[in-house]
């Protein structure tokens, strides 16, 4: 059983015990422990159940590569599933629960799956649930979803109460990995005057050297690391970041680094995680190497661990993983574990070496220390259940039929050699070479990922570059299966990917079934697709696949390395963007007034516009009707601030305006307004609005609320990229002005009551004129335009006075029954008048002619944007759908977007249609449903009754009518 | 303009830095050749056109380099209309555009030794070597903004008026105590 | 994420400050043009594995459009230059030819 040793543990502080709980049971660890070392120190070897077979699982590794030991951490608003115990720093009061079992970790009903393994082979889900199709959605998927998955999702009602942030940083050299190679690289770069960021994913620096007790430059590794780190921290051009994992390397030197600022201090008033968005000139991957497991039967049993992890626990945390430990290896490095444990007084059952002879210095030292070494041997089978009780040995080069000895032990270390961590090299396309001697992929320095300058921007140093520092050791023996000719029974118990329960036999089955590509095999078997992304399993898996395909490993290649290296939190990805600042919310100067009046909001781009202002007990529909009636009968106020307002000015401004708009704008008189259309080069309607000519050389263009930024950019595009010799400036004045529409028969009286120096009389200020002056003591520009058919003025005032002016209007209008109205009333009133709305009547395929707007298309101009597009055959076809009004025979409201079906099918086998509804409302003015729609050859079919789909099924009859339903003669607006 | 109110209505926040609404601020957009604009600025305000991505500061106000053919004059709110008219007159028939945009933007001041660290949490900008009088247009979180350095530890920021509240909240959020990073020392 | 240098304000900044505007050096064909010319202007777009000339706007910065020569396979940037340029500048063309001798030219 694992236990805490009486001495040792370079990272722990035995004077600071920390209590934590695992599945409710209180355990004790020390400051400096990880949750993994705390659990092992407290004798907890069994930590979870596997994904598919629910087999008992223990801790395998000591770092980010851990596949098994995932737990639910914290509770309530801080609960988080699938947290790796090996990378979780212990703190007082930590609460962890194991996952993927029911009813308990020790007794799990789901473990029945392990007895059914013959029936759950690779591709089981694909093969079994493929048909009948409808069952997938309603039967199979819900069941599979319930039984699959690892940790449970946090309670839907809780919200993460921690804060997260991001940080943009820049450096010449970013170094990922704080081992000796990383520290050396940082020192070299820093001393050369470069800006350096050095990251280390764990809380402590030094990597393997400090565990293995190497000497560096004549000092102990610990002393060397401490002194060099102190030197780095003292340099102004160096940023040293512990607990920071470089998650991904992206194009042009961009890297994401994930800093776990306060995971070890829950409740601290700090951001929990910080995502560093680093732009680096060079990225140095000093990410070390990961030890490979060996594939033998029962290698997934709790107590079977990586050999180097076992010495990590002993040296760093003073924890022995067992009382009697056996080690199985194909290389010399694993002997270090035996030696270190032996020194600490842990009994070593034997070192089992697959090589015919173990002749290196380390085996010699082991023998000298009295450790038994068994050569040419393999683990045939691990005995035990929830923990190891012994290992059966056979000859390595056999099928495992003959057991020559059974060793009693309660833990087994395994080492299959080391693989450089090449993820960061590969994320952006760095290529790999196969190293025969080490049996691993290493970076090919001639094929690095390329940066913006066409030069390589990632390099690997130290073990990540394949420099394992084992030149003095005896050669390792590549071992992909143990014993070499293991029988099917053994292969079906030999795990490659313990998290996803993928075994040697599964990969071999995939190969037999025709999966030749490693990418396909990965997806079919799910090898390496678990949360550890196959850090331990990939090389072993593709070696097995290569063997099954009868081809060398480099020909099989690797799967694609994708960021993040280890999972990062959604909080870090989100950063500050949550709650009120999830998205920018654009507010008009009157926003708070609307809110105080209980406005129901409608999102328009990032703006919020009042949809209506319901009074107590009033439905939205009732509020809209009231607002329309009040406006049509008295006077209403609309916040129109969101409309785009773009100044176009210069000697060539008229010429430019004539290109932008379909109509002639250069002839507009100063002081006058004109409604205009803008099309894209396809001829499709893009935006509309009223243009006012401000002076000889300047025009003010109103755009739709959603179109302001787009149209401003569109204008700049043409001026900068096509007509750059034209003397025109455009200035986006959208936000400079608050704009308020004062609408209704009493609108003039309201403005007159405000007083000022502008003559508002009908004669001197007719429809489609604009004037500026003082209105109620505020500098104002008034446009006499109407989108409702009523007498209407749109008043622009400086935004900083918008609210004050709005309130002045309300006060002045009180005696006339003034009230604010929202966007829905605006929409209904414009539809009653048959005015189109960009986005309702247009959808990016509609030309102005479709909407009966031929009057707004100049025939005198040689050119304007969209003119050529409109001349195309399809645009002048008599078969186009065109705008008409629609009136249901029963007065009901047509469904929005409803199609008018016809019998028969078109060339694509779809039902024939002859039109669709584009705008549809209940008109309180007319007391019935009104609609506009695009209908095949519609204007020639006035009076005809056609059928539209009803929302509830069936059809509704509607008569084709003129789109203007209200005051066709315009008597109400021209007063 | 006694009834002029800024979008932020005098908001303030303190944390890693002091963040404050600058209140109603006069602003004039100038479009045209910078040499031409510089001449008019010189005659009207005694200021010159700044070098690329720089700010010129004088008693009358500040002139910000916005683009190769755009400057922004920042000055007391009440003076903007008259100064704009004078600039218009000084420019005469030249191809140039003058527009008062005092109400189109929010102006904020940030001060404190950690200002660059706070800005770096929201702006994809390298602030190392960022000089006094330097200006950078970029984005703050999800919206466009510009910052310039007025002294060692005093910075100004402008964004569009409608998103002033968003920018202020975003800065206040990432500037909360406990978020110290020590990136710029 | 790309790193771009705006030739108008001189800033080198990350891609999020910019917006892409598609292929550069297109010739506009308006009224009077043939269907083939109009089609070439509106719809026929190069999609090379290799050297590509494209339009970018420094949307969050100075607001100016500029042009860029970029390799779509390696993402190498050969250079950026002002939008008011009718064909790629000679120094950029030389640089591309040096890096990619097999390149057939921009037209």
């Amino acid at each position: 059983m694992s236990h805490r040793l009486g001495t040792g543990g370079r990272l722990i502080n035995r004077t600071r015990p920390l209590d934590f709980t695992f599945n409710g049971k209180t355990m004790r660890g020390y400051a400096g422990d990880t949750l993994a070392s705390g659990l092992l120190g407290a004798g907890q070897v069994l930590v979870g159940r596997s994904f598919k077979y629910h087999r008992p699982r223990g801790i395998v590794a000591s770092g980010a590569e851990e596949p098994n030991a995932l737990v639910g951490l914290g509770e309530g608003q801080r609960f988080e599933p699938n947290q790796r115990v090996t990378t979780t720093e212990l703190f007082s009061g930590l609460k962890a629960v194991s996952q993927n079992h029911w009813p308990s970790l020790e007794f799990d009903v789901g473990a029945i799956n392990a007895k059914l393994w013959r029936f759950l082979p690779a591709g089981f889900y694909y093969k079994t649930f493929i048909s009948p199709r409808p069952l997938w959605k309603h039967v199979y998927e819900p069941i599979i979803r319930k039984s699959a998955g690892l940790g449970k999702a946090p309670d839907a009602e809780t919200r993460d109460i921690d804060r997260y942030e991001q940080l943009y940083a820049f450096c010449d050299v970013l170094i990922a990995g704080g081992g000796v190679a990383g520290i050396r690289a940082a020192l070299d770069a820093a001393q050369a005057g470069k800006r350096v960021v050095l990251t280390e994913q764990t809380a402590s620096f030094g990597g393997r050297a400090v565990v293995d007790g190497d000497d560096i430059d004549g000092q102990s590794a610990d002393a060397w690391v401490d002194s060099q780190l102190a030197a780095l921290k003292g340099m102004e051009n160096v940023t040293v970041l512990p607990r920071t994992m470089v998650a991904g390397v992206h194009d042009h030197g961009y890297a994401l680094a994930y800093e776990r600022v306060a995971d070890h201090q829950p409740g601290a008033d700090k951001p929990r995680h910080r995502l560093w968005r680093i732009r680096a000139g060079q990225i140095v991957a000093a990410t070390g190497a990961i030890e490979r497991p060996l594939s033998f039967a029962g290698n997934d049993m709790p107590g079977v661990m990586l050999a180097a992890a076992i010495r990590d626990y002993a040296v760093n945390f003073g924890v022995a993983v067992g009382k009697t430990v056996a080690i199985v290896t194909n290389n010399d490095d694993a002997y270090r574990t035996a030696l270190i444990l032996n020194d600490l007084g842990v009994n070593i059952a034997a070192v089992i070496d697959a090589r015919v002879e173990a002749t290196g210095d380390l085996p010699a030292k082991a023998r000298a220390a009295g450790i038994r070494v068994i050569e040419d041997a393999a683990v045939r089978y691990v005995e035990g259940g929830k923990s190891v009780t012994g290992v059966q040995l056979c000859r390595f080069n056999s099928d495992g039929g003959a057991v020559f000895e059974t060793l009693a032990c309660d833990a087994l270390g395994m080492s299959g050699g080391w693989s450089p961590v090449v993820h960061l090299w590969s994320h952006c396309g760095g290529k790999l070479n196969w190293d025969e001697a080490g049996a691993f992929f290493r970076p090919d320095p001639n094929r690095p990922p390329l940066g913006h300058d066409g030069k390589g921007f990632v390099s690997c140093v130290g073990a990540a570059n394949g420099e394992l520092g084992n030149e003095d050791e005896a050669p390792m023996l590549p071992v992909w299966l143990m014993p070499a000719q293991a029988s099917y029974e053994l292969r079906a118990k030999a795990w490659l990917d313990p998290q996803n329960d993928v075994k040697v036999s599964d990969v071999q089955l995939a190969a037999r079934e025709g999966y030749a590509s490693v990418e396909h095999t990965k997806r079919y078997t799910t090898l390496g697709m678990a949360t550890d992304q196959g850090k331990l399993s990939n090389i072993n898996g593709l070696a097995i696949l290569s063997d099954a395909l009868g081809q060398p490993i480099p020909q099989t290649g690797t799967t694609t390395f994708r960021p993040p290296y280890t999972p990062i939190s959604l909080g870090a990805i989100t950063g500050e963007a949550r709650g009120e600042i999830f998205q920018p919310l654009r507010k008009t100067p009157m926003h708070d007034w609307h809110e105080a009046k209980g406005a129901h909001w409608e999102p328009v781009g990032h703006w919020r516009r009042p949809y209506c202002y319901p009074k107590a007990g009033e439905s939205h529909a009732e509020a809209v009707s009231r607002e329309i009636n009040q406006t049509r009968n008295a006077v209403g106020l609309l916040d129109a601030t969101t409309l785009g307002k773009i100044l176009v000015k210069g000697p060539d401004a008229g010429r430019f305006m004539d290109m932008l708009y379909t109509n002639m704008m250069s002839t507009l008189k100063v002081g006058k307004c004109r409604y205009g259309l803008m099309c894209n080069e396809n001829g499709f309607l893009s935006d509309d609005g009223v243009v006012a000519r401000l002076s000889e050389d300047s025009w003010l263009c109103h755009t739709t609320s959603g179109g302001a930024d787009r149209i401003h950019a569109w204008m700049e595009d043409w001026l900068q990229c096509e007509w750059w010799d034209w003397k025109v400036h455009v200035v986006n004045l959208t936000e400079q002005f608050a704009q308020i529409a004062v609408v209704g028969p009493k609108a003039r009286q309201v403005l007159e009551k405000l007083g000022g120096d502008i003559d508002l009389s009908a004669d001197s200020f007719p429809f489609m004129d604009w004037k500026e002056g003082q209105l109620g003591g505020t500098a104002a520009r008034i446009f006499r335009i109407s989108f409702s058919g009523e007498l209407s003025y749109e008043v622009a005032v400086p935004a900083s006075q918008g609210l004050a002016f709005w309130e002045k209007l309300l006060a002045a209008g009180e005696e006339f029954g003034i009230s604010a109205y929202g966007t829905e009333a605006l929409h209904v009133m414009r539809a009653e008048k048959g005015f189109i709305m960009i986005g309702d009547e247009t959808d990016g395929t509609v030309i102005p002619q479709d909407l009966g707007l031929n009057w707004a298309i100049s025939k005198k101009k040689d050119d304007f944007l969209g003119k050529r597009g409109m001349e195309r055959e399809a645009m002048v076809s008599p078969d186009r759908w065109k705008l008409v009004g629609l009136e249901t025979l029963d007065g009901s409201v047509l469904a929005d977007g409803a199609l008018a079906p016809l019998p028969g099918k078109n060339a694509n086998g779809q039902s024939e249609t002859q039109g669709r509804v584009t705008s549809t409302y209940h008109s309180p003015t007319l007391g019935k449903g009104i609609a506009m729609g695009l209908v095949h050859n519609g204007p020639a079919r006035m009076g005809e009754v056609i059928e539209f789909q009803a929302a509830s099924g069936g059809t509704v009859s509607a008569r084709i009518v003129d789109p203007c339903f209200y005051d066709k003669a315009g008597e109400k607006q021209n007063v | 303009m006694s009834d002029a109110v800024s979008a932020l209505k005098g908001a303030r926040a303190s944390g890693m830095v002091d963040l404050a609404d600058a209140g109603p601020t006069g602003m004039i957009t100038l479009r045209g050749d910078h040499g031409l604009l510089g001449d008019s600025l010189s005659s009207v305000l005694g200021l010159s056109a700044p070098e690329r991505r720089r700010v010129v500061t004088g008693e009358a106000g500040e002139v910000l380099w916005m683009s190769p053919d755009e400057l922004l004059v920042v000055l007391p709110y009440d003076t903007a209309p008259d100064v704009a008219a004078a600039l218009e007159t000084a420019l005469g028939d030249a191809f140039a555009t003058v527009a008062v945009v005092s109400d189109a933007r929010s102006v904020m001041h940030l001060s404190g030794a950690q200002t660059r660290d706070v800005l770096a949490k929201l702006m994809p900008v390298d602030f190392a070597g960022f000089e006094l009088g330097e200006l950078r247009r970029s984005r703050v979180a999800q919206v466009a903004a510009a910052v310039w350095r007025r002294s060692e530890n005093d910075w100004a920021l402008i964004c569009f008026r409608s998103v002033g509240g968003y920018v202020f909240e975003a800065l206040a959020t990432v500037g909360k105590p406990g978020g110290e990073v020590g990136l710029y020392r | 994420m790309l790193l771009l240098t705006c030739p108008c304000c001189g800033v080198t900044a990350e891609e999020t400050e910019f917006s892409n505007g598609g292929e550069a050096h297109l010739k506009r064909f308006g009224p009077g043009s043939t269907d083939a010319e109009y089609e070439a202007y509106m719809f026929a777009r190069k999609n090379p594995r290799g050297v590509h000339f494209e339009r970018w706007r420094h949307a969050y910065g100075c607001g100016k459009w500029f042009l860029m020569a970029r390799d779509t396979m390696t993402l190498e940037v050969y250079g950026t230059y002002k939008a008011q340029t009718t064909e790629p500048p000679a120094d950029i063309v030389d640089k591309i030819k040096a890096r990619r001798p097999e390149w057939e030219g921009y037209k």
Side-chain angles (χ1 to χ4, degrees), chain A residues 163 165-166 168 170 195 238 269 271 274 582 584-587 649 716 727-730 735-736 798-800, chain B residues 3-5 31 77 95-97 100-104 120-121 123 125-126 128 139 142 161-162 177-178 181 185:
Chain A
R163 61 174 153 131
E165 66 182 28
Q166 302 186 347
Y168 295 90
F170 298 80
R195 255 207 292 179
V238 179
D269 188 17
R274 178 178 294 129
F582 169 63
L585 174 62
R586 297 181 74 179
K587 295 181 176 179
K649 184 173 183 294
E716 282 287 354
K727 291 182 169 160
V728 186
H729 291 135
V730 300
E735 302 237 6
Q736 167 67 14
S800 67
Chain B
D3 50 1
V5 286
R31 293 287 304 267
Y77 185 86
F95 171 46
T97 296
V100 175
V101 290
S102 306
D103 296 54
K121 294 184 186 190
M123 300 184 77
V125 172
D126 187 356
R139 60 181 173 83
Q142 301 170 53
R161 180 189 188 97
S162 65
V181 286
R185 285 162 282 172

Side-chain angles (χ1 to χ4, degrees), chain A residues 163 165-170 195 233 235-239 261 269-271 274 276-277 576-577 580-589 592 606-607 647 649-651 712 716 726-733 735-737 777-778 798-801 803-804 808, chain B residues 1 3-6 9 24 29 31-33 69 77 88 95-105 116-117 119-128 139 141-143 160-163 165-166 169-170 173-185:
Chain A
R163 61 174 153 131
E165 66 182 28
Q166 302 186 347
L167 183 69
Y168 295 90
F170 298 80
R195 255 207 292 179
K233 286 177 179 166
M235 297 172 84
E236 258 193 14
N237 53 334
V238 179
T239 301
V261 183
D269 188 17
K270 290 179 183 178
R274 178 178 294 129
W276 290 66
R277 304 173 66 153
E576 83 294 338
E580 289 289 305
I581 51 173
F582 169 63
Q583 264 196 333
L585 174 62
R586 297 181 74 179
K587 295 181 176 179
T588 76
D592 292 347
H606 283 151
W607 297 101
L647 176 70
K649 184 173 183 294
H712 176 240
E716 282 287 354
W726 293 15
K727 291 182 169 160
V728 186
H729 291 135
V730 300
V731 181
N732 190 348
L733 296 176
E735 302 237 6
Q736 167 67 14
F737 298 103
T778 305
S800 67
Q801 295 160 67
L803 177 60
K808 281 181 197 171
Chain B
M1 300 287 166
D3 50 1
V5 286
S6 61
K9 303 180 185 72
T29 284
R31 293 287 304 267
D33 175 75
D69 65 350
Y77 185 86
E88 193 109 43
F95 171 46
T97 296
V98 180
V100 175
V101 290
S102 306
D103 296 54
R105 289 185 174 89
R116 287 184 294 175
D117 286 345
L119 293 175
K121 294 184 186 190
L122 298 176
M123 300 184 77
V125 172
D126 187 356
F127 287 107
R139 60 181 173 83
Q142 301 170 53
V143 299
F160 281 115
R161 180 189 188 97
S162 65
V163 291
Y166 166 76
E169 275 310 310
T173 299
V174 300
K176 277 185 195 158
E180 293 78 8
V181 286
L183 180 61
Y184 294 104
R185 285 162 282 172

Side-chain angles (χ1 to χ4, degrees), chain B residues 77-92:
Chain B
Y77 185 86
D78 290 344
T79 64
D82 289 346
V83 170
L87 287 167
E88 193 109 43
T89 305
L91 285 161

Side-chain angles (χ1 to χ4, degrees), chain A residues 73-96:
Chain A
L73 210 58
E75 50 188 356
Q77 291 167 308
R78 287 207 165 90
F79 174 77
E80 204 168 20
N82 300 335
Q83 296 305 293
R84 259 179 198 72
V85 302
T86 51
T87 57
T88 300
E89 290 177 55
L90 198 62
F91 53 85
S92 177
L94 179 150
K95 288 187 168 64

